[in-house]
Amino acid sequence: MTETVAFVGLGNMGGPMSARLVRAGYQVRGFDPAEPARQALAGAGGTAAPDLAGAVRGASVIVLMLPNSDVVEATVHDGGFVAEPGATVVDMSSSEPMRTRALAAELAERGVTLVDAPVSGGVSRARSGELTIMTGGEPADLDRVAPILAHLGTATRAGAVGSGHAVKALNNLLSATHLLVTCEAILAGERFGLDPETMLSIFNRSSGRSGSTENKWPTFILPGSYDSGFGLRLMLKDMRIATGLADQVGTPDPLGHAAAELWARAAEALDATADHTEIVNWLRKDPAR
Ligand code: NAD
């Protein structure tokens, strides 16, 4: 019998990810309050459930691809979350590691397993099935969902439950911090008279290179498309998870906090739907003066 996978959260990432599982042959029942997201799943050959219970009922694996821990918890606590004992919940959202641990313990009392499997790679890699997936959970539980994750990307086991969420947030703190300083460097170079493309080609053969210089600047910023599909507010959320984690475990992170404060100012100044690559436009307005 074909395995039934519930997919909750069919947005920028969950849309293409659920469509890949349909193409891989799973019976995918998806739910999202947004009608166009449900229609897209139906168009891809999946089943769009009218409510949460319609997606979750009878599914052996329940994938969550939701904005944050608040929404993940609200979903799991919803009366429609009718997961049966023996089911495995895979939280692929970028959630808060400490809250993930607590939620896993709570679900275990209902006989339901939770593993975390957040991703990196953005919308294009969600479409191509080349996401970097970082997982947290017991090895036997991760073995159970490994065939599903294999259709979405390459998974690396980070440790116990919550570990995937921890490393994901830390990764995005790095990503956001170097994107901001890359924007600062390129704007300074431009004002000096350097050509951005020339700068990038030199950075990319030097020690200043990063995902910001190799991918984000050439793909989304130089052409002015700002369409990475990863919202600026979602990036800020991840940075705050990472700095919160450092605070909780008691390690120093003055640069991380400073970067998060700057991103918070950008989030206030820019449109609510701004892409994270639009951080450069906030800088261009010369926020320091
Ligand atoms: P998104 O806002 O496009 O999608 C989230 C979806 O969740 C929306 O369609 C929304 O309608 C739905 N939703 C909200 N409340 C819901 C509920 N109660 N029940 C069911 N669905 C609900 O966000 P996204 O870009 O797809 O990101 C999803 C997660 O993946 C976030 O945690 C984000 O940080 C992470 N992430 C995003 C990217 C990216 O490039 N977009 C990359 C890596 C990780």
Side-chain angles (χ1 to χ4, degrees):
M1 204 181 78
T2 319
E3 189 168 13
T4 299
V5 175
F7 209 112
V8 184
L10 306 168
N12 287 333
M13 296 295 284
M17 290 163 69
S18 56
R20 284 195 67 80
L21 295 184
V22 172
R23 285 201 294 281
Y26 290 95
Q27 297 265 8
V28 179
R29 289 203 309 247
F31 175 67
D32 192 298
E35 173 68 23
R38 292 202 303 275
Q39 277 174 2
L41 176 64
T47 304
D51 54 25
L52 182 62
V56 169
R57 186 171 290 113
S60 51
V61 173
I62 301 156
V63 178
L64 306 179
M65 196 47 172
L66 295 164
N68 54 41
S69 282
D70 286 346
V71 182
V72 167
E73 287 172 3
T75 300
V76 168
H77 293 147
D78 189 292
F81 193 79
V82 288
E84 285 157 22
T88 303
V89 177
V90 189
D91 184 11
M92 302 195 75
S93 331
S94 302
S95 305
E96 296 175 44
M98 299 296 190
R99 291 170 76 175
T100 301
R101 275 193 194 166
L103 196 61
E106 183 194 317
L107 279 170
E109 287 175 15
R110 288 164 60 178
V112 173
T113 301
L114 183 141
V115 296
D116 49 313
V119 305
S120 179
V123 173
S124 64
R125 285 176 183 268
R127 284 200 193 102
S128 64
E130 294 174 300
L131 290 166
T132 294
I133 307 174
M134 35 220 124
T135 59
E138 291 300 315
D141 299 330
L142 294 174
D143 287 346
R144 203 171 311 133
V145 298
I148 294 175
L149 298 183
H151 293 289
L152 304 175
T154 303
T156 300
R157 296 184 181 194
V161 70
S163 302
H165 285 154
V167 71
K168 165 66 196 175
L170 295 169
N171 176 74
N172 274 14
L173 179 63
L174 297 179
S175 170
T177 305
H178 61 61
L179 178 58
L180 179 54
V181 79
T182 300
C183 293
E184 291 181 2
I186 293 179
L187 294 193
E190 261 186 320
R191 187 70 61 91
F192 177 78
L194 291 165
D195 171 53
E197 283 187 48
T198 306
M199 279 188 270
L200 284 168
S201 73
I202 294 170
F203 294 153
N204 286 336
R205 279 180 275 119
S206 310
S207 50
R209 83 174 169 277
S210 66
S212 304
T213 60
E214 289 178 333
N215 178 30
K216 293 182 183 183
W217 259 85
T219 313
F220 308 114
I221 298 181
L222 275 187
S225 59
Y226 308 108
D227 59 353
S228 80
F230 183 42
L232 189 135
R233 287 172 184 218
L234 285 178
M235 179 65 102
L236 174 61
K237 170 208 62 166
D238 291 346
M239 298 174 80
R240 285 177 165 157
I241 295 173
T243 56
L245 182 68
D247 293 345
Q248 282 164 323
V249 299
T251 51
D253 62 338
L255 177 57
H257 271 284
E261 254 171 54
L262 294 167
W263 277 81
R265 280 172 48 196
E268 260 173 46
L270 294 170
D271 207 70
T273 58
D275 193 84
H276 79 287
T277 53
E278 291 180 59
I279 187 81
V280 69
N281 292 332
W282 170 73
L283 260 190
R284 278 186 178 124
K285 290 188 190 129
D286 206 0
R289 268 159 265 169

